[in-house]
Amino acid sequence: MLRVFALRAVVLGGAIFAILNSAAFAQDKALVARGDYLVNSLLTCGNCHTPKGPPAAVAGKDFSGGLSWDEPPFKVTAPNITPDKETGIGSWTDAQIKTALRKGLKPNGTPVAMVMPSGFYEIMTERDISAVVAYLRTLKPVKNQVPDPVYKMPQGHPIPPGGDKPFKEADLTDKVKKGFYLATIAHCMECHTPFGARGRDFDNKLGAGGAEFPGPWGKSVSRNITSSKAKGLGNWTDAEIKRAITQGISKDGSKLKPPMGFPLYAKMTADDLDAVVAYLRTVPAKE
């Protein structure tokens, strides 16, 4: 009888372990899938961190270091964020990756260049930032050493209004709040807000456009994405705004220029696009 009881206990224990292990695997898989979606759509990480060769990304080098900038504040190349332990982030802990994302600080305490929109990631829910880390862990390690950054002045950590602390999952049940969250982690206002005397003029010109972006495409100027009917999106339909975001086509049918990551935003879900448009409708008009 004792043997039978013990055998049943072992079988039951094994079954419970298998169920729990299966549930954990499913949860991990879902987390990685969420990270994949975020990294390869809203966050547009590959837009900067994947090397480009005319006209497209360099095959097999995804996320191993990408665009370079030589600007008044810095001379820097987007670093390798693959799990390579020598030239990437393979030796970083999860907490160190999260600190770099949210606070713009490397494991040694030095800041990342402020071209990295870390201030816009302060708002990320714990689930989403964990999902990004989980996905980055799955990337193929690529050995590629980029040049060390040169900082010509102290690096800032600009945080957009309302984005100074992580959202809770419950915050995302409201459509406009969700749209604000998504537009923030997509760092829309980083490019669509012009500079003032102390950096991006979030207080007076949030979303007013006017920032210039030189590149292989020539020079593009960010558009006004406020609710202004004269200068912004006030007279655009929802469908026209979505087409601009996902296809790079303006209201009048003209083609918009990079560096906005239209092909990446095209991967956004319909619900997420709806939420972003709902939020943009609420951005105060700026002329």
Side-chain angles (χ1 to χ4, degrees):
M1 180 65 71
L2 289 175
R3 286 183 179 179
V4 172
F5 180 79
L7 180 59
R8 287 176 177 172
V10 169
V11 172
L12 180 61
I16 292 173
F17 176 79
I19 291 171
L20 292 175
N21 194 48
S22 176
F25 176 77
Q27 186 176 22
D28 289 347
K29 190 174 181 180
L31 197 66
V32 170
R34 174 65 176 172
D36 185 350
Y37 172 69
L38 292 171
V39 167
N40 292 303
S41 63
L42 284 150
L43 304 186
T44 62
C45 300
N47 218 25
C48 291
H49 290 276
T50 293
K52 306 294 191 297
V58 179
K61 299 290 187 179
D62 291 356
F63 303 106
S64 66
L67 298 181
S68 295
W69 298 266
D70 189 352
E71 306 288 346
F74 49 69
K75 182 179 181 180
V76 65
T77 298
N80 185 338
I81 57 172
T82 75
D84 182 69
K85 291 187 176 181
E86 294 180 7
T87 64
I89 59 173
S91 63
W92 294 25
T93 66
D94 288 2
Q96 287 171 336
I97 297 175
K98 290 179 181 181
T99 297
L101 283 168
R102 273 197 181 130
K103 301 297 180 182
L105 294 173
K106 299 177 183 179
N108 62 5
T110 60
V112 301
M114 58 185 176
V115 68
M116 169 70 175
S118 53
F120 289 75
Y121 300 151
E122 293 263 13
I123 199 175
M124 288 183 74
T125 65
E126 191 56 36
R127 173 177 173 262
D128 277 354
I129 200 166
S130 294
V132 169
V133 173
Y135 173 70
L136 292 177
R137 296 291 192 201
T138 71
L139 297 177
K140 180 186 76 173
V142 178
K143 191 173 297 297
N144 182 39
Q145 183 67 54
V146 304
D148 290 335
V150 175
Y151 296 150
K152 306 172 187 178
M153 62 179 66
Q155 298 302 293
H157 181 67
I159 301 173
D164 58 337
K165 59 184 179 181
F167 259 38
K168 305 293 185 184
E169 293 296 323
D171 296 326
L172 305 181
T173 58
D174 179 275
K175 189 174 184 178
V176 172
K177 285 184 179 179
K178 179 182 179 182
F180 167 71
Y181 173 79
L182 296 173
T184 300
I185 65 174
H187 43 91
C188 301
M189 297 306 176
E190 180 193 28
C191 294
H192 289 275
T193 300
F195 279 104
R198 298 183 178 180
R200 298 286 178 196
D201 191 3
F202 295 130
D203 292 336
N204 302 301
K205 293 288 185 178
L206 182 73
E212 296 182 354
F213 298 90
W217 49 83
K219 182 175 72 174
S220 58
V221 180
S222 64
R223 301 297 183 97
N224 184 320
I225 57 171
T226 73
S227 57
S228 167
K229 291 185 177 182
K231 300 290 187 179
L233 304 176
N235 282 326
W236 292 41
T237 66
D238 288 3
E240 287 168 343
I241 297 173
K242 291 175 185 178
R243 185 178 68 168
I245 293 171
T246 61
Q247 299 178 45
I249 300 174
S250 187
K251 179 181 175 66
D252 62 6
S254 61
K255 195 71 176 173
L256 300 174
K257 295 180 180 179
M260 186 163 165
F262 311 112
L264 297 173
Y265 295 136
K267 300 175 184 178
M268 290 172 61
T269 66
D271 284 348
D272 282 357
L273 273 170
D274 284 343
V276 168
V277 172
Y279 160 66
L280 291 176
R281 297 291 190 200
T282 72
V283 178
K286 302 293 181 183
E287 304 302 331

